[in-house]
């Protein structure tokens, strides 16, 4: 329970990797706010999280779970929501920029709207959230900013050039900000999962099935084949890396882009 008294703000916390990270940080004692666009799914996720055992005696109040409806591409909404979250559960000392979308298209069929959408959600959203949270971290004199990038931030993949460009941008932002904040007791790192078993991958599987006529099993195997461990990454494996980076004892880790991908990227 090394994160008692901290407040973690997690974009895209209603499912998948974000929800697993919320669990992992709650288990370390942090208060957690999960954010996303859909109020109903946030409420459902918060209910599950509040039931989650946190290793405390029944009479000790556990860490709190808050929800926050926002679209990370809406700058004004992000600033307002983050101010409200801080009023409710205290200054935010941990920011997990996790909200993301991966829409595929061959480059020749990538419209400028599609391109802009991928940059807005996967890169500019992290910019807005980080700008909104940073003053709170600077005032506290402590912070952990973790950007969920992707192996697509470290290497290319065909048919997702806009997503790959956005995730490479997120890795670049991570490095620059880590240097700017290096003397402020605020670390900035990227966690880069390979194909992870979540709804994004379900969508990719559906897309492969539709485009190639392959079965679900074949499509899933095709995605897993790029991972030397021959399997999809599990959300808990990503969350474990995130929780470790948040530890007070991980203070010398900054500016890193850590692949959680079974050895796909070395
Ligand atoms: P999911 O689709 O399971 O979850 C995405 C989350 O982001 C949801 O909570 C969704 O909620 C939220 N979200 C999406 N768009 C927005 C938005 N504009 N504003 C606010 N919230 C938003 O995805 P994953 O858990 O798989 O992915 C999480 C992150 O991990 C993403 O950044 C993704 O790129 C990255 N990643 C995923 C990999 C994978 O294979 N799964 C591999 C590598 C990286 P709602 O729709 O209600 O807004």
């Amino acid at each position: 329970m090394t994160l008692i008294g901290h407040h973690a703000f997690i974009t895209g916390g209603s499912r998948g990797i974000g929800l697993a990270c919320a669990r992992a940080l709650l288990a370390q004692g942090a208060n957690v706010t999960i954010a996303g666009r859909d109020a109903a799914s946030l409420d459902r996720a918060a209910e599950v999280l509040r039931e989650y055992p946190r290793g405390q005696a029944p009479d000790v109040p556990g860490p709190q779970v808050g929800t926050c409806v926002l679209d990370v591409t809406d700058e004004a909404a992000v600033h307002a929501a983050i101010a409200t979250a801080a009023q409710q559960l205290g200054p935010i000392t941990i920011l997990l920029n996790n909200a993301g979308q991966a829409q595929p298209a061959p480059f020749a069929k990538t419209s400028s709207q599609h391109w802009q959408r991928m940059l807005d959600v996967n890169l500019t959203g992290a910019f807005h959230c980080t700008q909104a949270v940073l003053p709170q971290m600077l005032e506290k004199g402590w912070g952990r900013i973790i950007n969920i990038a992707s192996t697509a931030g470290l290497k290319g993949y065909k048919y997702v050039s806009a997503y790959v460009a956005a995730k490479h941008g997120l890795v670049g932002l991570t490095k620059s900000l880590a240097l700017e904040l290096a003397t402020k007791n605020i670390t900035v790192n990227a966690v880069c999962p390979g194909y992870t078993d979540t709804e994004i991958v379900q969508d990719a599987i559906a897309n492969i099935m539709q485009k190639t006529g392959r079965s679900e099993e074949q499509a899933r195997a095709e995605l897993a084949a790029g991972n030397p461990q021959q399997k999809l990454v599990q959300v808990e494996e990503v969350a474990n890396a995130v929780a470790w980076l948040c530890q007070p004892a991980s203070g010398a880790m900054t500016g890193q882009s850590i692949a959680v991908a079974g050895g796909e990227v070395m």
Side-chain angles (χ1 to χ4, degrees):
M1 304 287 277
T2 51
L3 298 177
I4 289 172
H6 286 280
H7 179 187
F9 190 88
I10 303 178
T11 66
S14 62
R15 59 177 191 261
I17 290 171
L19 181 58
C21 291
R23 280 202 185 96
L25 296 179
L26 273 171
Q28 292 299 318
N31 294 326
V32 167
T33 299
I34 51 172
R37 292 166 301 171
D38 182 53
S41 52
L42 285 168
D43 287 344
R44 276 196 302 276
E47 228 168 275
V48 171
L49 288 172
R50 289 183 186 117
E51 295 301 313
Y52 189 66
R54 292 162 208 163
Q56 284 173 305
D59 52 340
V60 177
Q64 304 291 302
V65 181
T67 62
C68 181
V69 179
L70 59 73
D71 185 324
V72 293
T73 65
D74 181 340
E75 182 174 9
V78 165
H79 282 259
I82 282 176
T84 305
Q87 274 165 11
Q88 287 170 345
L89 295 184
I92 295 163
T93 47
I94 298 169
L95 171 64
L96 185 58
N97 285 312
N98 164 76
Q101 291 169 21
Q103 279 152 12
F107 180 75
K109 291 188 177 165
T110 298
S111 66
S112 57
Q113 289 91 340
H114 176 140
W115 173 264
Q116 194 58 50
R117 178 81 194 145
M118 288 298 96
L119 291 183
D120 286 347
V121 178
N122 293 296
L123 178 56
T124 311
F127 166 78
H128 293 323
C129 293
T130 306
Q131 286 227 320
V133 165
L134 193 52
Q136 300 178 30
M137 292 182 176
L138 288 168
E139 198 177 327
K140 271 271 172 189
W142 196 95
R144 296 281 184 265
I145 299 170
I146 300 174
N147 296 321
I148 302 296
S150 168
T151 46
L154 304 172
K155 61 179 262 197
Y157 291 88
K158 56 190 173 180
Y159 309 132
V160 277
S161 57
Y163 178 75
V164 167
K167 292 295 192 182
H168 273 69
L170 191 55
V171 167
L173 170 66
T174 302
K175 292 176 183 172
S176 282
L177 194 55
L179 288 176
E180 281 190 36
L181 299 175
T183 59
K184 305 289 184 196
N185 218 12
I186 300 170
T187 66
V188 189
N189 290 287
V191 169
C192 300
Y195 282 117
T196 305
D197 205 355
T198 70
E199 277 187 34
I200 277 190
V201 156
Q202 282 308 325
D203 292 346
I205 288 170
N207 188 50
I208 293 171
M209 289 165 69
Q210 190 217 334
K211 296 265 159 61
T212 65
R214 294 191 183 115
S215 68
E216 180 171 350
E217 205 178 319
Q218 287 168 326
R220 185 172 274 273
E222 188 179 318
L223 294 182
N227 178 328
Q229 293 179 334
Q230 300 288 293
K231 62 186 186 68
L232 296 177
V233 175
Q234 299 302 301
V235 290
E236 293 77 13
E237 294 171 320
V238 182
N240 193 44
V242 168
W244 170 70
L245 286 169
C246 290
Q247 294 303 312
S250 299
M253 294 295 304
T254 195
Q256 302 306 302
S257 302
I258 300 170
V260 180
E264 180 185 350
V265 183
M266 295 186 180

